[in-house]
Amino acid sequence: MNFFKRAWLNLTAKKGRSVLLILVTSAIMLFVLAGLLIRNAADTATSNAKQSVGATVTLAANRDAAFKKMRSASTSKKSKPTLTTSPVKLSDAKKIAKLNNIASYSATVSTSANAKDFDAISTSSSSQGGGMKGMGGASTTSSGDIAISGVTSTSATSDFENSTSKITKGRGITTADEGTTNVVIESELAKEDSLSVGDTIKLKATTGSKTTYTMKIVGVYKASSSTTTAQGPDATDPSNSVYTSYTFANTVKGSKYKNTADSITFNVSDPAKVSAVKKAGKQLINTSKYALTTDDSSYQTVKASMNNVKSFADKIVWLVAIAGTIILALIVILMIRERRYEIGVLLSLGEARWKIVAQFFVEMVMVLVVSIVIAGIGGKFVGNQLGQQLVSQQTTTATTSTTSTQTGQPGGTGGGAPSGTTGGSKPSGNMGGNPGSSTTSATASQKQTELDISVTIMDLVELGGFGLAIMFLSIMLASGGILRLQPKKVLIE
C-alpha cells in the first residue's frame, strides 16, 4: 500500500482528529490570507492615489527674492522700504502647461471692491457693538468690503473640490466667463440682500478711476465655514467673498494686470513626478521674480498611511506563519507519539523512513487544501474588518499629526499684492483672513482611504505557497522522532 492511500485512509478513519486539524489549519490560513489581502490592497490603494489624490505645482511671485531686494534698498534710502512683487504672466503659465504630467492649470487673482447698490455683511465683536450689515459703498479705506476671488473655474478651486463650498443655486464660474462680469455670491449675502440668480449688483473699485461695474449673478454658493479669522476694523465676513473670472479681477486691479494672475496652480497627473515637473518648470521662468512650490501632501499622507498598513500586514503574515509552523509542529509531534506503534510496524515491514515522513506530509497537505477553501470563503470578511480598522487608526494618527503641526499658524494672508498661496483658496485681497483655508487641505488630505479587498486566484495560490512552506517546516521539525525510532524497540514497548 503506497503512502498516499495510507494518508487518505488515516484521515477518513480518524474523523475527529482530522476535523481538529482542519479547524486549526483554517484559522492559521485565514489570518495569513487576511494579511496578504491587506498588503495587496494597500499596494493598490497607493497606486490609485496617484490618480485620485493628485498633486499641484503653484507658480507665484518669489517673495524671498522680493524681501532681499527690499532689504538691500532700505540700506541705501532713508524712506520706508516697500515690498514689490511681480504678478505671474499667463504666457509663462502656458509654457509650463506644455510639460509632461501637467493635466490642467487654473489662475487665481485676489482683489476687493465696495458694495454699491447692496449692503455687505459686517461683523463686530461684542465689545465693539455694531449691526449685521454695513451701508454699501461706505468704506473709506483702500480695501473694499467685498473680497473678489478671480478664478479660471470654481470647480478647480480647493474649496469646491473638497466640498467646503457648494453651489446651491445656478452654476459656478467656468472658462466661458472670461471677459464677462458674471459673479457667484455666498448664500448668506444673497439672503440678507434678497438676491438671486439672474439679479444684478454693482461693485465699485477702490483704486485707480474707481469705476463702478454691473455684475450679473449666475450662481449662489454655500460656504461651510462661517467664522472669520481676522479681527479689527478692516475685518470682513466670509460671506462677503464672491467669485468671478480672473479677467474681471484683473480689470478691477488695473490695466497693468491684464493677462496676469496672483498665482497659477498646475495639476500634476502623477504625484510621483511632481519634483521632476518643478525642476523642468524652473527652467522656463525667471526665478528671481517667480517661484514654483509643490503640494503633494495628500498623496504623501495616503502613501505613508498605506505603507504603515502594508508593514503591519507583512508582520501579521510572518507572525502567523511562524506561530502556525510551531503549532502544527507540536500537533504533528503529538500525532507521532500517538502513532508510534503504527510507525514501528511500518518500519519493521521495511517501509522507508522518508515514505513515513511523506505520509504525514500528504496528510497535512490534504488538510491544507480543505483549509484554503475555508479561508478563501472567510478571508475577505476578516480582511475587510481588520484592514479598515488599521486604515482608521492610521488616518486618525495622520490627522492628529497634521493638526498639531498647524496649531498656531495664521489662517489667512494680508495685503493685496500677489501672494504665493495655492490657486483656488479663499481670496484675501486687502481683506483680513482666509477662513477655513488653512485646514481645508489638511482635512481633505486625511480622507480615509478605502481598501478594496477581494480574493483572487493569485491570492489563493500565494496562500497555498505559504501553507505548503508551513506544512513542510512543521513536518521537518517533528520528523526527528521518526528518524530516531527503532522498530524492534517500538514493538517491544
Side-chain angles (χ1 to χ4, degrees), residues 55-377:
T56 60
V57 175
T58 301
L59 175 63
N62 189 335
R63 294 179 64 84
D64 290 338
F67 272 113
K68 290 179 181 179
K69 185 177 180 180
M70 181 188 72
R71 294 189 186 99
S72 62
S74 64
T75 58
S76 58
K77 296 181 181 180
K78 294 182 179 180
S79 59
K80 185 178 179 180
T82 57
L83 179 66
T84 303
T85 57
S86 302
V88 177
K89 295 180 180 179
L90 294 181
S91 57
D92 290 337
K94 291 178 181 178
K95 294 178 183 178
I96 297 177
K98 294 179 181 179
L99 294 174
N100 293 331
N101 298 305
I102 295 293
S104 61
Y105 71 95
S106 58
T108 301
V109 179
S110 298
T111 187
S112 63
N114 282 321
K116 185 66 176 175
D117 61 347
F118 66 99
D119 295 329
I121 296 176
S122 63
T123 56
S124 60
S125 64
S126 58
S127 61
Q128 293 173 329
M132 181 64 185
K133 298 193 294 182
M135 294 303 295
S139 175
T140 59
T141 63
S142 60
S143 62
D145 47 21
I146 299 296
I148 299 174
S149 181
V151 297
T152 304
S153 171
T154 49
S155 62
T157 64
S158 60
D159 285 342
F160 285 91
E161 281 185 339
N162 301 327
S163 297
T164 304
S165 298
K166 294 182 179 179
I167 297 293
T168 56
K169 294 180 181 179
R171 62 175 179 83
I173 297 297
T174 66
T175 54
D177 293 305
E178 292 182 11
T180 69
T181 56
N182 294 335
V183 64
V184 175
I185 65 174
E186 211 277 328
S187 59
E188 294 300 328
L189 180 63
K191 289 178 183 178
E192 288 301 317
D193 291 290
S194 300
L195 298 171
S196 186
V197 175
D199 293 343
T200 59
I201 57 175
K202 291 183 178 181
L203 295 176
K204 184 178 181 179
T206 59
T207 58
S209 60
K210 297 186 178 181
T211 304
T212 298
Y213 302 92
T214 300
M215 314 295 295
K216 181 181 178 181
I217 301 174
V218 295
V220 176
Y221 76 96
K222 175 67 176 176
S224 62
S225 175
S226 59
T227 59
T228 178
T229 57
Q231 302 293 332
D234 289 335
T236 186
D237 191 272
S239 296
N240 292 328
S241 296
V242 302
Y243 287 93
T244 69
S245 174
Y246 72 93
T247 56
F248 173 76
N250 279 335
T251 301
V252 174
K253 292 177 73 172
S255 57
K256 67 179 181 179
Y257 291 97
K258 185 178 181 181
N259 295 323
T260 65
D262 291 356
S263 64
I264 298 177
T265 302
F266 302 89
N267 294 312
V268 182
S269 56
D270 186 354
K273 300 296 181 62
V274 68
S275 297
V277 170
K278 179 181 178 181
K279 183 178 180 181
K282 281 186 174 181
Q283 299 176 357
L284 302 176
I285 62 173
N286 183 347
T287 54
S288 63
K289 289 185 177 182
Y290 308 118
L292 283 171
T293 57
T294 61
D295 180 13
D296 61 344
S297 57
S298 297
Y299 169 69
Q300 294 299 336
T301 298
V302 173
K303 183 179 178 181
S305 178
M306 289 302 99
N307 283 342
N308 289 336
V309 171
K310 181 181 176 182
S311 175
F312 193 85
D314 285 336
K315 291 176 182 177
I316 291 177
V317 172
W318 288 110
L319 287 175
V320 173
I322 293 171
T325 301
I326 296 172
I327 292 171
L328 290 176
L330 292 174
I331 291 175
V332 174
I333 290 173
L334 293 175
M335 287 173 54
I336 292 172
R337 293 185 62 182
E338 178 189 345
R339 298 165 64 179
R340 283 171 61 89
Y341 183 79
E342 174 190 343
I343 296 170
V345 171
L346 291 172
L347 289 174
S348 65
L349 293 174
E351 188 72 28
R353 295 178 188 272
W354 72 266
K355 287 186 177 181
I356 298 176
V357 174
Q359 177 184 333
F360 282 102
F361 182 72
V362 171
E363 289 178 16
M364 296 303 293
V365 170
M366 290 179 180
V367 169
L368 175 65
V369 172
V370 179
S371 300
I372 288 177
V373 174
I374 297 174
I377 296 172

Side-chain angles (χ1 to χ4, degrees), residues 441-457:
S441 60
T443 303
S445 66
Q446 306 304 335
K447 288 181 180 179
Q448 182 167 320
T449 303
E450 295 291 334
L451 288 181
D452 183 16
I453 294 179
S454 57
V455 181
T456 65
I457 296 298

Side-chain angles (χ1 to χ4, degrees), residues 4-83:
F4 287 100
K5 190 173 182 179
R6 288 201 308 269
W8 170 253
L9 291 175
N10 189 275
L11 287 175
T12 54
K14 299 182 178 180
K15 295 181 177 61
R17 187 186 66 192
S18 300
V19 171
L20 179 62
L21 278 173
I22 290 173
L23 291 176
V24 173
T25 307
S26 296
I28 295 171
M29 293 296 100
L30 192 64
F31 283 99
V32 171
L33 179 60
L36 293 175
L37 292 177
I38 294 171
R39 185 188 65 184
N40 294 340
D43 283 336
T44 303
T46 303
S47 299
N48 291 341
K50 292 182 179 181
Q51 285 75 38
S52 61
V53 178
T56 60
V57 175
T58 301
L59 175 63
N62 189 335
R63 294 179 64 84
D64 290 338
F67 272 113
K68 290 179 181 179
K69 185 177 180 180
M70 181 188 72
R71 294 189 186 99
S72 62
S74 64
T75 58
S76 58
K77 296 181 181 180
K78 294 182 179 180
S79 59
K80 185 178 179 180
T82 57
L83 179 66

